[in-house]
Structures are given as C-alpha cells and as structure tokens.
Amino acid sequence: MKTSLALLTTVLTSVSSLVVPRANPKTTHAYASGRLFNIDGKTQYFAGTNTWWLGHLMSDADVETAVSEIASTGLKVTRVWGFGNVNTAAGNENSVYFQILNETLPGGQQINYGANGIARLDSAVNTAEKYGIQLVLPMLNNWGDLGGIDTYTNAFGGNATSFYTDAASQTAYRNYIEFIVNRYKNSNAIFAWELCNEPRCHGCPTSTIYNWASETSAFIKSLDPSHMVTLGDEGWMAPPTGDGSYAYSAAEGVDFIKNLGISTLDYGTFHMYPDQWGYNFTWGNTWIEQHDAAGKAAGKPVVLEEYGAPYANNKTAITLPWQNTLVQDTSIAYDSYWQFATVLPSGTNDADNYAITYSTAAGSDYQILFTQHAQNMAAKPAVANQ
C-alpha cells in the first residue's frame, strides 16, 4: 500500500499554535571535523549520555530538571527516542506516543497532536535548546519498546527482516522521518538524526542493512543537508575481522566497517554490553580499540553510543577502565553512558539496572563516571590519531 504525506500536511496546518523549536541564529549546527566533532563552535572531545525517556515525560518540570542536571554535569549531548508508535489509540490514552500506524487510517498513519503526543518531544527539544544541550534523535527502534519495527509490520505486513525492503513499511517510515526532520531541522538542539536504535537483520546478508542505510541516509540529507546523520548500530563486525565469535560473525546482518564507508553517514556508532553478549568485561577495551582503528582507517568520527554496567555495587570498578581506555588510548570522539537517571519532580522513574543517578556527592559513581569523565574528555587536546 502506498502511504501519503497528505494527512500529515493537513494536520500540520491545523496546529500552527504549537510551539515548534526554532534556531538561534547566533549558533551553528555541529559537524564532523576530521575524526572529531565541531560542537558549540569548537572542535573538541566531549562526553554525552542517554535519556531515551526525555521526550516521553508528561511533565515539563521533569524535562527541565533532567536537562538542567545534564548541562550542569558538563555533558554536551544526550540521546532521546524520536520515535513512539502505536497501532491503535485505544488503551494508550495514558501513554505518550507520537504516531499511529494502522491501515484503516487515511494514508496508514497519523501524528498524535494531543497532550500525550508530539508536544512532549517538542518540550524536550525546546528545553535542550534552552540549556545548550544537543540531541541525537533515533527515528526507529529495532526493539518493541515504545513501538519499533513491529508496529510497522503489524500495520503493513512482513517481519523484522523483510521490513528493510518492504515498500509499504519503508514509505511510512520515510513519511515519519520527513515529519520529524522538517519539524526540528531549524533547531540548534539537534546534534544528529539517527536511522534506528540498534538495527539488526538476523541472518540477512550485510548488504540488506547497508543498502537500506545508504538510501535512507541519502533521503535525510535531501531534507536537511546541514545536520549530521548516523546509523545507530551496535558496531557488529564481520569476517575476516575478529575471531569469528558472535560480535564478529555478522550474524545480525551488520558490518560496521562496511557501513562506515557510506558517504551520507557522518559518523559511526557502536554499543558495548559484554555481559549480554557472552564476553568478559575486560574484552570491552578491545572492542573500543577495534572501533577506534576502524574510524582511523575510514577517517571518520566514531562514537561509543551506549555502554554500562548492570550491577549496583561495582559500576565504577567495571566502567572506569573502559573510560580510561577511551581517554588515554583512543580518538573516540565522544561517548554516551547508558543511562542518566535522576529524581524527577513527578516521581516518574525510567531507570534500569545500568542507570546512574545524578549526584553531587564526592566519590559517587555519578561524580566519577559522569562529571569527572566529562572533564577528562574536555581536557584532551583536540587532535586525533590520524
């Protein structure tokens, strides 16, 4: 089924009263500068974090609290889910969602302009702009949380692997991309557009995601040539790189090195969860160094976009060696711990086992792994190992 932007255009013209973020003319968008980034008018190393939930908070006060604390920590970028799909509004009245995907709708999709809709992402973007924080916005999720690929296949057919080549799903996905990019492309709060959180195509040839990423990133660049675009993958490698074990097998249909060569992707991403993937924690240093080497070969920035330790009592013991490797031995442009947490005025709490809660207490995990690490990254000379 061919979907259309006509519905989105009609609804957009009827909601002109919503406050959509606009650029501050005194600032410029971040961009790749060799293997680093120029951000806030300066080529530099820096640290970031993940707050997937920021655009799904119902309270502006909650958003303000989180973003102000991120800024006071010295972090420059946070990653926020730019997606939020459901297949029906029924039963989701008390949840935040941005669009409905359903073939019974005109065009198969509809933006939610209610109080629990896109206004919540507007709040996150506006508040980030206020505090000088920049956002990475993934526009799709590989996982089912908050409506990922499965919401497209529920609406238009297919499955998690056919999604990447299914005409109806891809048209609807591009419609949503066009809506999000056009809504926020004039905002200086946008660091980069991200195709998907952790795209996988299990058992597929790596050409499937390579071709999809090439075409989709080119489409985004046609809408907004000023902002960066990245894939959002976990950094899986393919033979002959590595020892052939899971992370190097291309079993998930992703070849990090090959994808890094896509001209319309400005930088590469990788994630790191040794405990989930069957590796010991010290292997994380190898994973970091391998991706740094790939970035050096490609001449592009590489970002450790997600990493963390799931245990309450030894996060620093596990994570600090990785951060030391990042700071001392690599040219990884920036890194984002998964994830930032804080005490919000409403009492909302979306923390998981990996989260570290904001704290000003000396010697706390937060002070070591967030505040001090941000200072260490910022202190690095802005020179990469070419």
Side-chain angles (χ1 to χ4, degrees), residues 36-201:
L36 306 182
F37 296 109
N38 186 293
I39 184 171
D40 298 334
K42 178 183 176 182
T43 298
Q44 58 188 303
Y45 289 98
F46 57 92
T49 191
N50 287 270
T51 50
W52 68 261
W53 36 264
L54 194 68
H56 286 74
L57 295 173
M58 282 298 296
S59 164
D60 288 346
D62 284 355
V63 176
E64 182 100 8
T65 294
V67 176
S68 65
E69 291 175 352
I70 288 168
S72 70
T73 301
L75 305 175
K76 290 189 173 293
V77 173
T78 188
R79 187 160 161 260
V80 176
W81 286 178
F83 56 82
N85 309 327
V86 297
N87 293 120
T88 177
N92 289 295
E93 294 84 359
N94 296 319
S95 302
V96 172
Y97 64 92
F98 304 145
Q99 74 164 337
I100 305 171
L101 295 167
N102 194 307
E103 279 197 314
T104 65
L105 295 168
Q109 59 195 135
Q110 178 177 302
I111 297 297
N112 176 15
Y113 287 102
N116 63 336
I118 198 66
R120 303 317 312 149
L121 189 56
D122 290 347
S123 177
V125 174
N126 281 319
T127 307
E129 194 165 272
K130 173 182 175 180
Y131 284 94
I133 295 297
Q134 298 192 27
L135 308 179
V136 176
L137 290 185
M139 292 177 280
L140 179 69
N141 197 10
N142 174 63
W143 311 105
D145 302 312
L146 299 175
I149 286 174
D150 60 338
T151 55
Y152 286 89
T153 59
N154 289 343
F156 308 113
N159 55 44
T161 56
S162 67
F163 164 83
Y164 295 99
T165 55
D166 180 79
S169 286
Q170 288 304 304
T171 299
Y173 168 55
R174 286 196 180 194
N175 286 346
Y176 185 69
I177 286 174
E178 185 167 359
F179 168 74
I180 291 292
V181 171
N182 285 338
R183 191 170 185 82
Y184 301 123
K185 68 182 180 182
N186 292 319
S187 171
N188 290 311
I190 302 302
F191 183 81
W193 309 114
E194 188 165 281
L195 273 60
C196 183
N197 172 51
E198 301 186 336
R200 295 183 180 188
C201 191

Side-chain angles (χ1 to χ4, degrees), residues 254-284:
V254 175
D255 183 339
F256 174 80
I257 293 174
K258 181 179 180 180
N259 294 337
L260 200 57
I262 297 173
S263 62
T264 42
L265 293 178
D266 294 278
Y267 64 93
T269 64
F270 68 107
H271 298 182
M272 189 171 72
Y273 295 106
D275 56 300
Q276 295 184 18
W277 300 344
Y279 297 89
N280 60 45
F281 287 115
T282 57
W283 168 83

Side-chain angles (χ1 to χ4, degrees), residues 325-371:
T325 295
L326 284 165
V327 174
Q328 299 168 11
D329 301 327
T330 77
S331 297
I332 299 297
Y334 88 87
D335 64 288
S336 288
Y337 188 93
W338 182 281
Q339 62 171 316
F340 171 91
T342 191
V343 178
L344 297 173
S346 71
T348 300
N349 184 357
D350 289 303
D352 59 15
N353 290 339
Y354 292 85
I356 297 180
T357 301
Y358 175 80
S359 173
T360 58
S364 64
D365 284 339
Y366 191 89
Q367 280 294 300
I368 295 169
L369 301 177
F370 280 71
T371 306

